Amino acid sequence: MPMSDPNSMRLQMIPAARAARAMRRAERLAENGKVKEAITSLHQALRFGADRYTCYLRLARLYQTRRQWTEALGAANQAVAEEPARLSAREALIALYLEAREFGAGHRVVGHRCHHALVLAELLVRERLVAQQHVMRGRPHAGALERP
């Protein structure tokens, strides 16, 4: 059995280590109120191959704190596209649509799509009920009460 080249193994780990560092840096920056820098760090993490779903969800939340609705909705939509079966990104998307409307950005950013958030919310509640029923019956369900 041939031995792996230690240098090639180390080179493969570099992007993963960089991605993890960028994610930790983004978290620290956000905790210290440096949201713009945290957003930049998350974009770096994406380039280094970090978990796309997690990065996009975190980006959505950071953009939300800055009330950058278009960017927040775009990031949440990306998270949904990455992991369609997971519910957290869909919940974030609904919350963003509703919050954008509350801040008066609904007409500028979301327009007629705000009513879609209510429809999505109703579907999400139904999905949660179905998932709970499946769990209670001992059957797995695609989105069964998942959390990031």
Side-chain angles (χ1 to χ4, degrees):
M1 184 187 255
M3 293 291 265
S4 297
D5 178 18
N7 288 331
S8 68
M9 294 281 287
R10 190 176 61 212
L11 289 174
Q12 289 175 356
M13 292 180 64
I14 289 174
R18 286 182 177 171
R21 274 196 304 271
M23 298 256 322
R24 286 191 303 271
R25 183 173 51 249
E27 194 170 320
R28 278 194 316 273
L29 288 166
E31 287 172 359
N32 292 321
K34 297 180 179 180
V35 176
K36 184 177 179 181
E37 293 87 348
I39 289 169
T40 300
S41 189
L42 281 173
H43 282 289
Q44 288 174 341
L46 281 167
R47 284 193 299 276
F48 292 135
D51 179 67
R52 299 181 71 75
Y53 180 81
T54 302
C55 283
Y56 284 128
L57 260 184
R58 289 181 184 177
L59 281 167
R61 291 186 181 120
L62 290 173
Y63 284 126
Q64 179 182 16
T65 64
R66 295 175 59 108
R67 295 189 180 144
Q68 291 179 270
W69 306 116
T70 303
E71 293 84 354
L73 290 165
N77 273 313
Q78 287 281 16
V80 169
E82 289 294 328
E83 298 275 347
R86 294 180 69 181
L87 299 178
S88 297
R90 293 179 191 280
E91 291 173 336
L93 192 58
I94 291 165
L96 285 166
Y97 276 125
L98 295 174
E99 189 174 349
R101 185 179 66 178
E102 282 179 28
F103 280 99
H107 296 294
R108 282 185 291 119
V109 175
V110 191
H112 68 283
R113 290 185 280 171
C114 277
H115 76 279
H116 291 289
L118 298 174
V119 172
L120 286 172
E122 184 178 327
L123 291 173
L124 187 60
V125 168
R126 288 182 189 170
E127 175 69 18
R128 286 250 182 231
L129 290 173
V130 169
Q132 286 174 345
Q133 289 171 353
H134 279 266
V135 168
M136 289 171 52
R137 292 180 185 144
R139 295 188 306 230
H141 185 262
L145 308 174
E146 105 8 83
R147 290 279 174 211

